[in-house]
C-alpha cells in the first residue's frame, strides 16, 4: 500500500468507528472498570505500527493478560489485527482519551 492509501484507509476506519462507537462507549469497552490507565495507554499504542508484544512491553502489561484483553477488543470490533502470527500489528479504531463527561 502506498503511504497515501494507508492514510486514507486509517481516516476511513476512524470515521466509521466514530459513527458506531461514541467516545464514552469506547472508553467503557477499553477500560470497563475505569481503574487501569495502562489499558488506555496500550489501546492508544495500537496504531498499526507495533506488534502485540511491543504494545504490551511499552504499556508494562503482562503478555498473557494483554492477550486476553486484545481478544476482547477484537471481538468488540474496536481493534484489528493486521497480518498473521507474531508479526501481526494491532490497530485501534480511534484513540481513547480520558473518560468524557456524559451529556
Amino acid at each position: 500500500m502506498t503511504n497515501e492509501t494507508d492514510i486514507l484507509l486509517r481516516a476511513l476506519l476512524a470515521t466509521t468507528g466514530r459513527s458506531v462507537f461514541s467516545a464514552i462507549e469506547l472508553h467503557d469497552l477499553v477500560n470497563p472498570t475505569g481503574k487501569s490507565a495502562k489499558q488506555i495507554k496500550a489501546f492508544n499504542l495500537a496504531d498499526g505500527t507495533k506488534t502485540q508484544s511491543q504494545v504490551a512491553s511499552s504499556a508494562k502489561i503482562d503478555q498473557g493478560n494483554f492477550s486476553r484483553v486484545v481478544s476482547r477488543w477484537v471481538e468488540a470490533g474496536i481493534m484489528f489485527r493486521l497480518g498473521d502470527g507474531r508479526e501481526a500489528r494491532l490497530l485501534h479504531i480511534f484513540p481513547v482519551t480520558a473518560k468524557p463527561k456524559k451529556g
Side-chain angles (χ1 to χ4, degrees):
M1 246 186 283
T2 67
N3 190 33
E4 185 175 325
T5 303
D6 186 51
I7 291 168
L8 290 172
L9 288 174
R10 287 175 193 269
L12 180 61
L13 177 62
T15 302
T16 304
R18 288 180 190 271
S19 70
V20 175
F21 298 100
S22 71
I24 293 170
E25 290 172 317
L26 183 62
H27 186 280
D28 290 345
L29 286 168
V30 170
N31 190 11
T33 64
K35 298 178 183 176
S36 179
K38 287 183 179 182
Q39 286 188 358
I40 292 173
K41 180 179 181 180
F43 186 83
N44 288 337
L45 285 169
D47 61 1
T49 63
K50 297 171 186 65
T51 65
Q52 184 169 318
S53 62
Q54 289 170 329
V55 171
S57 294
S58 295
K60 297 182 172 77
I61 297 177
D62 174 73
Q63 292 280 348
N65 289 339
F66 189 58
S67 179
R68 288 184 288 280
V69 169
V70 168
S71 293
R72 184 171 45 91
W73 290 342
V74 169
E75 287 176 23
I78 60 174
M79 182 170 285
F80 302 94
R81 284 189 180 97
L82 307 175
D84 295 316
R86 292 185 155 305
E87 296 305 311
R89 308 280 179 197
L90 297 176
L91 177 63
H92 55 62
I93 57 170
F94 61 90
V96 173
T97 59
K99 189 163 184 173
K101 297 191 185 297
K102 295 182 181 180

